Amino acid sequence: MKKTILFTSLLLLLFAACRKANNPTVYDLGVDVQSNFDNDNVQVLIDNQPLIKHTQLSTSNLLGFATSISTANTEGKHIIKVVVNDTTVQSESFTQSGDLYVGINYNKTTGAITFRFSPHRFVYD
């Protein structure tokens, strides 16, 4: 009887572990298009899936950001890609292991796109 209970418990534990491996955890992924956008055509892709599609964006001088998008994303390694005006492209790998928020900034003079990663939501005054 003890062996049956022990075997059943181990079997249930094994099934629970396999179920966890087959169903990765989902977290919040927030993407904020932040500073220095001025009527720019912006695309944001996560793992080659569009999050923002060819959208004309301008940063609000009052708030300091242009737009904010929130989506669900699985834990693990991912790639964010940003295209501005169909000419400036920047990609970066990141690992998500909890809620994550990404700030995207653009320097029109140098053509540089930069990313800020934070475990906390960005606050705008």
Side-chain angles (χ1 to χ4, degrees):
M1 182 67 173
K2 288 183 181 181
K3 288 183 182 182
T4 304
I5 292 173
L6 180 60
F7 180 74
T8 304
S9 298
L10 288 174
L11 192 58
L12 289 173
L13 184 61
L14 179 64
F15 283 137
C18 290
R19 182 173 180 260
K20 174 75 173 165
N22 292 334
N23 296 319
T25 305
V26 175
Y27 295 106
D28 187 37
L29 176 64
V31 176
D32 289 11
V33 178
Q34 295 177 329
S35 65
N36 300 323
F37 290 87
D38 185 18
N39 290 319
D40 293 301
N41 183 346
V42 179
Q43 299 173 65
V44 178
L45 300 98
I46 304 293
D47 299 330
N48 289 322
Q49 298 299 311
L51 187 59
I52 298 174
K53 298 179 188 181
H54 295 285
T55 304
Q56 198 85 9
L57 296 175
S58 292
T59 300
S60 166
N61 292 331
L62 182 62
L63 298 176
F65 80 102
T67 192
S68 182
I69 304 289
S70 184
T71 188
N73 199 33
T74 57
E75 65 183 337
K77 290 189 177 262
H78 301 281
I79 297 175
I80 184 169
K81 178 180 177 182
V82 176
V83 181
V84 179
N85 299 324
D86 294 322
T87 57
T88 306
V89 179
Q90 181 68 40
S91 296
E92 190 161 326
S93 299
F94 65 94
T95 300
Q96 185 154 8
S97 58
D99 291 344
L100 185 65
Y101 303 91
V102 183
I104 301 169
N105 297 282
Y106 178 53
N107 184 326
K108 195 172 271 201
T109 304
T110 63
I113 299 169
T114 57
F115 301 100
R116 288 183 1 184
F117 296 91
S118 174
H120 307 287
R121 293 180 192 274
F122 295 104
V123 178
Y124 304 96
D125 293 328

